[in-house]
Amino acid sequence: MGAIKTGEEREIFYSPTKIIFGLGAIKDLPNECKQLGKKPLIVTDSFMSKTEIVKDIMEILKSAGMEPGLYDGVVPEPPLESVDNGVKVALEGNYDVIVGVGGGSSMDTAKGVAIVTGNGGKVLDYVGMDQVPKPGLPKILIPTTAGTGSEVTRVFVVTDLNDNTKKVVYSAYNLSNVALIDPALTLGMPPSVTADTGMDALVHAIETYVAITATQFSDPFAEKAIRLISKYLPIATIKGENIEARYYMALAATLAGLAFASGGLGAVHALAYPLGTEYHMSHGRSNAIMLPYVMEYNLPGNFEKYAKIAEFMGEKVDNLSDSDAAIKSVEAVKRLQKNVGIPSRLRDYNIKKEDLSKLVEGGMKQARLFVPNPRNLSKEDVEKIYEMAY
Ligand SMILES: [Fe+2]
C-alpha cells in the first residue's frame, strides 16, 4: 500500500479523454476526426511522411470525405521553430484538428501546434506550469513507437536553440482528445529502435513506481508495464514481426505513460539527459544505460518496492529479505539490457573518463528531477553514479 496523502498532498491522475487501443484501430481515425473537426492536419516527420503508415492515414481520411493536410517538419528534439512553423501551416490552411503521428518528437510537436494555433502567440509564451489559458485545437495522437507515452501525458518538451536548453510546457490542455494506439503501426520498427524505446518505457514505469510522488493510481499501471516489458521486449526486439510482442509492448508503453503522467520521474531521466546533449545519444538509449546504476544507488530508498520490481521481472524472491530481493531488480534490468543488445557501460560508447565531470555538471542542471527520486542526490552522489556507469 502506498503512503496516505494528508495536508497539502493529493492523489491526482491525468489521462486523455479517450484511449482507443487495438490491432487495426487506425481505421477508427476518420470517425474520431469527424467528431472533433472538419479539416485535420497531420503532424509528423519527413521520414514518416514517406512511409505507408502516413500514406494510408491520408488515404483513409480522404476516403471518408475529408481533406487532410500534412506538416512533416518535425525533427528529433524539436526546436521551438518546429512548432511555430507547424502553427503557420495550421493557420494558413484553416485546419481545425491536429493529428500527431510518430514517436515522442512528432506527438510533442503536435501538442505544441494544437496549443499555439488555438491560443495565439508563440510556443515560448506557454512554457512552465499551467501557462496555457485555453484548450487550443482538439488533437488525436497516434504513436508509431512503443516507448515515449507522450500520447497520454500533459507535457511537451521543445529545445530552445538560443541557449540549448529544454523548455517544458505542462498543461492539462496538452492531454489528447483521443490517444489512438494501433500496435500494428510498430511492426516496422528496427531492432535497435525497438530496444531503445522499450527501455524508455521501462524507465518510465520503474522511476514512477519508486518515486516518492507515486500514487495509488500510478502503481498498478507501473506494475503491469514492468511485467509486460520484461516479458515481451526481448521478443519484440529480436523477432519484430511477432504480433503478440508488439501488442503488449504498445500496451506497456501507454500504461507506463499513464503512470508517469501522474506519478513523476526521477534521477535516471536527469542523468541520462547530458548523454543526449553531449553525445547525441537517443533518449531511450541514454535512459537505458543509466537505469541499473541509478537503481543500485537508490535501493536503500525503497527496498520494498525494488523487491517488488524484482518479482514483477520474474526473479525468484521467495524467502529473501526485501534488501536481498531488491538487488535482484538491478540484475534483472542488466540481463534484459543484454538480451536486447544494449551495451550498458559509458566506456562502451567512446566516452572518455575525463569527460565525466561534464556529465556531472549536465546532470546537476536537471536537479528538479531529484525531488521525486527515492534517494537525495548531492553532486558527490551523482559523480559516484557516473563512475559506476563508466
Ligand atoms: Fe523518457
Side-chain angles (χ1 to χ4, degrees), residues 146-164:
T148 151
S150 178
E151 68 278 10
V152 292
T153 70
R154 68 190 160 109
V155 176
F156 72 86
V157 184
V158 279
T159 304
D160 188 343
L161 294 174
N162 297 316
D163 54 0
N164 214 10

Side-chain angles (χ1 to χ4, degrees), residues 12 40 54 139 164 185 194 198 201 230 276 324 359:
I12 298 176
V54 169
K139 59 195 159 299
N164 214 10
L185 304 186
T194 303
S230 50
D324 283 342
L359 294 177

Side-chain angles (χ1 to χ4, degrees), residues 41-59 62 68-75 99-103 106 142 144 185:
L41 177 66
I42 313 292
V43 174
T44 190
D45 61 59
S46 61
F47 172 79
M48 278 302 299
S49 69
K50 292 177 194 73
T51 63
E52 291 306 313
I53 295 176
V54 169
K55 285 182 193 160
D56 287 351
I57 286 175
M58 298 292 280
E59 231 18 78
K62 281 179 194 161
L70 178 67
Y71 170 65
D72 67 354
V74 175
V75 290
V99 181
V101 182
S106 288
I142 306 174
T144 60
L185 304 186

Side-chain angles (χ1 to χ4, degrees), residues 296-315:
E296 199 173 337
Y297 211 74
N298 277 347
L299 289 181
N302 202 333
F303 283 129
E304 196 186 335
K305 274 194 152 173
Y306 281 106
K308 283 279 182 201
I309 291 170
E311 189 192 323
F312 302 157
M313 296 187 76
E315 296 291 309

Side-chain angles (χ1 to χ4, degrees), residues 75-270:
V75 290
E77 317 283 326
L80 303 171
E81 293 70 34
S82 204
V83 173
D84 291 327
N85 292 341
V87 173
K88 261 184 238 155
V89 175
L91 288 172
E92 280 166 17
N94 272 321
Y95 293 101
D96 59 3
V97 47
I98 301 297
V99 181
V101 182
S105 300
S106 288
M107 290 190 283
D108 273 21
T109 304
K111 288 175 180 174
V113 171
I115 288 296
V116 181
T117 306
N119 281 274
K122 293 214 172 317
V123 66
L124 263 187
D125 302 337
Y126 305 108
V127 167
M129 187 67 78
D130 294 327
Q131 298 300 309
V132 183
K134 291 189 298 185
L137 294 189
K139 59 195 159 299
I140 300 176
L141 298 178
I142 306 174
T144 60
T145 63
T148 151
S150 178
E151 68 278 10
V152 292
T153 70
R154 68 190 160 109
V155 176
F156 72 86
V157 184
V158 279
T159 304
D160 188 343
L161 294 174
N162 297 316
D163 54 0
N164 214 10
T165 55
K166 298 271 177 178
K167 300 274 155 71
V168 187
V169 176
Y170 295 88
S171 166
Y173 294 136
N174 282 328
L175 288 161
S176 56
N177 300 71
V178 181
L180 204 166
I181 303 119
D182 184 343
L185 304 186
T186 67
L187 280 167
M189 247 196 307
S192 68
V193 181
T194 303
D196 289 356
T197 51
M199 288 299 290
D200 185 31
L202 182 69
V203 174
H204 295 157
I206 290 180
E207 287 222 276
T208 302
Y209 191 68
V210 300
I212 59 164
T213 45
T215 73
Q216 314 278 347
F217 294 102
S218 62
D219 276 359
F221 288 109
E223 174 182 341
K224 181 139 193 188
I226 295 166
R227 287 183 187 276
L228 290 173
I229 294 164
S230 50
K231 179 168 178 187
Y232 288 105
L233 183 58
I235 312 167
T237 303
I238 61 170
K239 202 75 183 158
E241 68 275 28
N242 185 307
I243 297 272
E244 187 181 323
R246 294 296 195 183
Y247 187 93
Y248 285 115
M249 276 309 300
L251 182 63
T254 300
L255 295 176
L258 286 167
F260 90 82
S262 300
L265 291 170
V268 182
H269 271 75

